[in-house]
Amino acid sequence: MDKDNCIERQHMAELCIMIEGQMGLNWERWQRICSAVEELGFDGLFRSDHYRNPEPEYEDSLELWTSLTYAASHTKHIFFGPLVTPITFRHPTMLAKVAAAVDDLSGGRLVFGIGAGWNEREHVAFGVPFPHTGERFARLEEALQLIRLLFRSEEPVSFQGQYYSLKEALLLPRPKRAGGPPILIGGNGIKRTLPLVAKYADEWNAVYLTPEDYQLRRGHLNGYLAAQNRSPKNMKYSMMTGLHFAKDDAALKGVLEKIRARRPDTNNLSDLELAVFIRQRGPLLGTPTAIIDQIGKLVDCGLSRLMVQWLDLDDLEGMEAFAARVLPQVRRM
């Protein structure tokens, strides 16, 4: 890729672990993961917020904010947060209180990811209303307005929206961080998500993008930021993406076979063709050298924080190998 077309990087890249909390997460696993992520030197730990996974089978799904409270009090250095917590089953005023409290408990290490919700199956299963897309995004915008008011106002505030309201409301104790914890909005949508990022977010979290797709959406975001009289330099740029990590070429064979088992439509592809097929859809795939090269291309395009999905919650040995082989190189980017 032509680096002349890439966006100037802000600072050294940060590498984080992202856990799908609805895919078997329980207290024993979470405690081990929190310790491992901090001890191995990763910058952060993030997790999803779901009642259940989209598939028919139920797995352990540790409640998000309880687990983040544990992370706040049992780690010292890593930042952490939800990717993302949905307003469909969490009222924004309670989200503001909980987020401010967890951030204070951690000494200011929470990244407050918030979203519109998408997993219809879990809403139906647990009796939570699931409005149409337009309403969910309208609710999200009102929630963002309301949360920012509560974070920033030293005096009681009122707000009247279509879905939420405040009447002489004041968040106490006041957040120790001025303005409250930074707000992250995740997603790639050009028409709905990116305008909200430009208006309300401190961090944009892209999802599963190639460098080319990332640049395209970053260009749209810059236009929305300009319309809000905001400088792109004041935004944090991150991405959550998949990871297929192999310690060596022999292990890569096994990784590719696992992908074929889950994707029968790829059985006719050679190993090289399959690797290209996966990478074109955003995820990182390969041995340490290949992974480092893929991360470098994203960093060259202005990405400053990467959250990689670690789906095998018990594979701490693999996480250790990933940290040893990849993390030092990312630190130099």
Side-chain angles (χ1 to χ4, degrees), residues 248-306:
D248 50 39
D249 289 335
L252 181 57
K253 290 279 188 183
V255 169
L256 294 173
E257 287 309 311
K258 288 182 180 179
I259 294 174
R260 288 191 178 94
R262 295 194 302 268
R263 297 284 306 260
D265 57 317
T266 64
N267 285 335
N268 62 327
L269 300 179
S270 67
D271 285 356
L272 179 58
E273 290 170 335
L274 178 56
V276 171
F277 176 84
I278 294 299
R279 290 168 185 156
Q280 287 176 340
R281 282 148 183 80
L284 310 176
L285 182 148
T287 58
T289 300
I291 295 290
I292 292 165
D293 179 65
Q294 292 165 71
I295 293 175
K297 290 178 180 178
L298 291 168
V299 172
D300 285 339
C301 290
L303 194 74
S304 57
R305 178 180 291 168
L306 187 66

Side-chain angles (χ1 to χ4, degrees), residues 11-88:
H11 44 65
M12 189 176 296
E14 299 167 340
L15 187 58
C16 310
I17 295 295
M18 188 272 173
I19 300 298
E20 293 292 349
Q22 72 281 5
M23 295 176 63
L25 189 63
N26 52 38
W27 276 119
E28 290 183 4
R29 285 172 169 155
W30 183 244
Q31 289 164 345
R32 290 197 299 265
I33 289 168
C34 286
S35 296
V37 169
E38 178 143 282
E39 291 170 5
L40 292 172
F42 290 100
D43 295 287
L45 174 61
F46 292 82
R47 55 152 299 189
S48 57
D49 184 11
H50 292 292
Y51 280 96
R52 61 165 300 178
N53 58 24
E55 304 302 323
E57 296 81 9
Y58 277 90
E59 298 183 65
D60 288 345
S61 181
L62 187 63
E63 198 280 322
L64 170 87
W65 285 101
T66 311
S67 71
L68 295 185
T69 304
Y70 176 90
S73 56
H74 287 76
T75 63
K76 296 182 181 299
H77 306 295
I78 57 173
F79 47 81
F80 58 88
L83 278 183
V84 291
T85 191
I87 50 88
T88 47

Side-chain angles (χ1 to χ4, degrees), residues 69-271:
T69 304
Y70 176 90
S73 56
H74 287 76
T75 63
K76 296 182 181 299
H77 306 295
I78 57 173
F79 47 81
F80 58 88
L83 278 183
V84 291
T85 191
I87 50 88
T88 47
F89 50 79
R90 297 187 185 277
H91 195 280
T93 57
M94 183 54 66
L95 275 177
K97 286 184 66 68
V98 172
V102 171
D103 189 50
D104 286 353
L105 180 64
S106 72
R109 291 183 288 125
L110 176 73
V111 178
F112 183 22
I114 184 170
W118 63 270
N119 185 344
E120 184 174 7
R121 182 186 292 272
E122 68 183 345
H123 290 75
V124 172
F126 287 88
V128 179
F130 188 71
H132 60 78
T133 302
E135 180 178 332
R136 295 201 312 277
F137 273 88
R139 286 178 175 271
L140 175 59
E141 180 159 17
E142 281 193 16
L144 290 163
Q145 293 171 346
L146 181 153
I147 288 169
R148 292 211 313 177
L149 278 173
L150 290 174
F151 279 169
R152 297 178 178 187
S153 178
E154 300 290 336
E155 302 293 335
V157 292
S158 297
F159 172 86
Q160 185 60 58
Q162 184 176 355
Y163 305 103
Y164 307 112
S165 63
L166 299 172
K167 186 176 182 179
E168 296 298 307
L170 179 64
L171 185 62
L172 292 175
R174 298 298 303 142
K176 292 182 180 179
R177 274 206 271 187
I183 292 175
L184 174 153
I185 297 177
N188 304 328
I190 293 173
K191 293 182 178 180
R192 288 192 174 101
T193 301
L194 294 185
L196 291 180
V197 171
K199 289 177 70 174
Y200 303 107
D202 302 290
E203 178 172 344
W204 171 45
N205 184 250
V207 183
Y208 272 68
L209 292 181
T210 64
E212 294 77 12
D213 286 341
Y214 175 80
Q215 285 181 271
L216 174 66
R217 284 163 175 77
R218 178 78 178 263
H220 283 284
L221 177 58
N222 285 348
Y224 291 130
L225 288 168
Q228 296 295 325
N229 294 314
R230 296 184 64 187
S231 170
K233 293 182 179 180
N234 296 329
M235 179 71 63
K236 183 83 173 181
Y237 299 94
S238 63
M239 184 186 298
M240 189 276 284
T241 196
L243 174 67
H244 303 283
F245 173 69
K247 291 182 287 187
D248 50 39
D249 289 335
L252 181 57
K253 290 279 188 183
V255 169
L256 294 173
E257 287 309 311
K258 288 182 180 179
I259 294 174
R260 288 191 178 94
R262 295 194 302 268
R263 297 284 306 260
D265 57 317
T266 64
N267 285 335
N268 62 327
L269 300 179
S270 67
D271 285 356

